[in-house]
Amino acid sequence: MIAELPSFDTLRYLAEHDPERLERLRRALTKRLISRAPERIQHRLRGLQFEIEARVALAPNPIAACIALSTMMHTTFGHLARAL
């Protein structure tokens, strides 16, 4: 999977000059990664990806999206820590 990623400079260029193309790449790589996961967890991964995309879509700007996803991640880690 890593070998399929463009270089950092290419990704930065896309982010600055062609964000729609970068988004298509992100979606394609995410879809490919989920399809390579064991079948028993693919449904959960698709659900998680849906939730991530919804939170990003609801955010008024990229920083708010980052904060929303960071909060989501920290909440999940908190649940994991309590379970352990």
Side-chain angles (χ1 to χ4, degrees), residues 2 4 7 14 21 23 25 29-30 38-41 59-60 65-66 74 83:
I2 298 293
E4 298 172 17
S7 70
L14 290 175
R21 185 170 167 207
E23 177 62 14
L25 175 64
L29 292 174
T30 301
E39 272 191 51
R40 61 185 166 73
I41 64 169
C66 182
H74 283 283

Side-chain angles (χ1 to χ4, degrees), residues 10-78:
T10 300
L11 293 172
R12 184 179 60 182
Y13 177 86
L14 290 175
E16 294 171 354
H17 301 287
D18 196 353
E20 290 178 17
R21 185 170 167 207
L22 179 61
E23 177 62 14
R24 286 193 307 272
L25 175 64
R26 184 194 66 77
R27 287 181 185 265
L29 292 174
T30 301
K31 183 177 180 179
R32 186 174 305 144
L33 180 65
I34 291 172
S35 73
R36 292 178 179 173
E39 272 191 51
R40 61 185 166 73
I41 64 169
Q42 286 183 17
H43 181 72
R44 174 66 185 122
L45 291 173
R46 285 187 194 99
L48 181 58
Q49 186 60 31
F50 177 83
E51 184 177 358
I52 289 168
E53 290 178 7
R55 289 180 187 232
V56 169
L58 290 172
N61 57 61
I63 296 297
C66 182
I67 291 169
L69 295 181
S70 178
T71 300
M72 182 180 162
M73 180 183 66
H74 283 283
T75 299
T76 301
F77 282 144

